[in-house]
Amino acid sequence: MQKLAPHETMEIHEMMNFKTVCMTKSKLMAGIVFDKDLKALMEKDVLQSIRAIQELQGLYARFPVQ
């Protein structure tokens, strides 16, 4: 069974943190934006960030930490 090295685990963790911050910011800012196009773009970013976070979480499930 393949395992993640400690530095790989840390990199995944950093990417998850980044995507979480992106998602949170877009979600909060979409609430105060009045432009429909910009709001739609932010909502799309939220959905993409959620998918990316789920994919990264899947890596933890598939590859245990070494």
Side-chain angles (χ1 to χ4, degrees):
M1 175 185 273
Q2 290 181 331
K3 295 184 179 188
L4 292 175
H7 73 280
E8 292 170 323
T9 302
M10 183 58 102
E11 289 174 6
I12 292 171
H13 183 73
E14 289 174 3
M15 287 187 283
M16 284 184 63
N17 283 341
F18 176 73
K19 291 311 291 180
T20 301
V21 169
C22 290
M23 178 193 63
T24 304
K25 185 175 180 181
S26 289
K27 203 168 198 172
L28 290 172
M29 296 300 286
I32 60 172
V33 169
F34 298 107
D35 183 72
K36 288 192 303 186
D37 293 333
L38 181 56
K39 189 173 196 131
L41 184 63
M42 290 177 149
E43 289 170 356
K44 183 178 177 182
D45 181 56
V46 169
L47 294 175
Q48 289 175 336
S49 293
I50 289 170
R51 272 189 245 119
I53 290 168
Q54 290 171 340
E55 288 178 24
L56 291 168
Q57 286 174 331
L59 290 175
Y60 282 131
R62 287 187 9 219
F63 303 105
V65 179
Q66 196 174 38

